[in-house]
Amino acid sequence: MRFETLSYATDNRVATITLDRPDHFNAIAHGMPREIRAAVEKAEADPDVHVIVVRGAGPGFCGGYDLKHYAERKGEISGSQDMPWDPTLDFQMMWRNTQDFMALWRATKPTIARVHGAAVAGGSDIALCCDFLIMAEDARIGYPPARVWGVPTPAMWVYRLGPQMAKRMMMTGDLIDGREAARIGLALEAVPEAELDDAVERLAGRLRGVPRNQLMMTKTVVNQAYDNMGLNNTQMFATLFDGVSRHSPEGIWFRERAQEVGFKQAVAERDSGDPIASQVSKRLPVED
């Protein structure tokens, strides 16, 4: 197929999926989740491919959904309905995206996220759905919309970090760098960005020498353990709550604030740590 938001290439038993919207920090555009899934399926069907690498073109891995575009636009948009909202429509839309990203996790072949720059919000969803993360030391990863206006629908923080650190990342919306990601076990390795390709190649080189059937069996064993822990049910809750977070009083306030003062200023207020919750819940304006 012809891809519009990414590129696909193969070499030496490795399929490389490159998110290819560098002028927009590889923001998740309409159709990108579907194309990621299609690219994974293409690699799955190729008997010469043993490993799948996901990377971003330009200055970073992926800046997530284009929330500035969605938050500042007037009227009803995808992901932010006029009230009363229909949660089933929201769930269907985001559940498709979640399952598309999870194609990376469910592929029978190992998947590696090569993260430079940043993997933020929805970009972190894509990275965390891969089996392995290799990050540049100064790269950043996190889910800032968890403070207001989002819940990470794949919920992979829980399964990668355990309850305490997952709660820290999901409740604070903090961004951490590659060094900390490696220290807490989120990333397999963190290296200077100049050495990132070599680090990915070292891991891919070890994996591509393993028979495809052996890779499938060992990956399935690990994934089955997480399925037994309720991964799918957790993702259903997370996807439903993601829609709720965009239509809660605080979520509606955030979008109205973004339209009033711009997305950047609204995010700065949201992430400042100031105790604005009482004002938000009452839908009162926040003083500059």
Side-chain angles (χ1 to χ4, degrees), residues 121-132:
S124 69
D125 289 340
I126 296 171
L128 293 179
C129 284
C130 292
D131 300 313
F132 304 100

Side-chain angles (χ1 to χ4, degrees), residues 21-268:
R21 303 184 70 229
D23 293 341
H24 302 277
F25 206 75
N26 300 319
I28 300 169
H30 177 73
M32 181 182 280
R34 249 67 75 207
E35 290 195 0
I36 290 173
R37 185 173 193 160
V40 171
E41 291 173 350
K42 184 179 178 69
E44 283 277 87
D46 187 343
D48 292 330
V49 170
H50 287 223
V51 185
I52 302 169
V53 172
V54 184
R55 58 183 294 157
F61 182 81
C62 177
Y65 292 92
D66 190 353
L67 297 185
K68 182 179 188 296
H69 168 75
Y70 288 116
E72 292 184 354
R73 282 184 60 189
K74 302 287 186 179
E76 183 171 327
I77 57 171
S78 176
S80 186
Q81 302 172 31
D82 288 339
M83 301 299 280
W85 69 292
D86 186 340
T88 64
L89 295 178
D90 197 292
F91 178 85
Q92 289 170 3
M93 173 190 68
M94 291 306 300
W95 187 245
R96 283 194 300 268
N97 288 0
T98 301
Q99 296 308 304
D100 290 338
F101 296 154
M102 283 295 289
L104 292 159
W105 178 263
R106 297 196 173 106
T108 63
K109 299 171 182 180
T111 54
I112 304 170
R114 175 202 180 278
V115 177
H116 74 295
V120 178
S124 69
D125 289 340
I126 296 171
L128 293 179
C129 284
C130 292
D131 300 313
F132 304 100
L133 272 74
I134 297 182
M135 296 182 62
E137 290 177 338
D138 60 352
R140 296 169 298 150
I141 189 168
Y143 203 96
R147 295 186 68 87
V148 173
W149 225 49
V151 174
T153 61
M156 296 303 289
W157 300 99
V158 179
Y159 296 94
R160 287 188 172 274
L161 291 176
Q164 181 170 248
M165 191 58 72
K167 287 176 182 177
R168 178 243 170 148
M169 295 301 297
M170 292 176 65
M171 290 181 177
T172 67
D174 285 349
L175 295 175
I176 59 174
D177 64 21
R179 297 178 188 87
E180 185 172 1
R183 181 182 65 80
I184 65 177
L186 185 68
L188 181 67
E189 188 176 0
V191 299
E193 185 171 337
E195 301 174 16
L196 193 54
D197 287 335
D198 290 340
V200 171
E201 173 58 25
R202 281 195 301 272
L203 177 58
R206 291 292 293 162
L207 294 170
R208 66 172 165 247
V210 180
R212 286 182 296 110
N213 55 11
Q214 190 72 25
L215 291 168
M216 182 275 287
M217 289 185 284
T218 51
K219 179 172 177 175
T220 299
V221 167
V222 177
N223 283 12
Q224 184 61 37
Y226 283 90
D227 288 342
N228 289 341
M229 290 166 62
L231 174 60
N232 189 71
N233 288 343
T234 301
Q235 291 177 337
M236 290 181 68
F237 269 106
T239 302
L240 179 62
F241 286 157
D242 182 56
V244 173
S245 74
R246 282 179 269 108
H247 297 87
S248 67
E250 294 82 0
I252 293 173
W253 166 85
F254 177 77
R255 187 179 174 208
E256 291 177 348
R257 187 64 176 162
Q259 292 170 353
E260 177 186 356
V261 300
F263 182 72
K264 185 176 181 180
Q265 176 63 28
V267 168

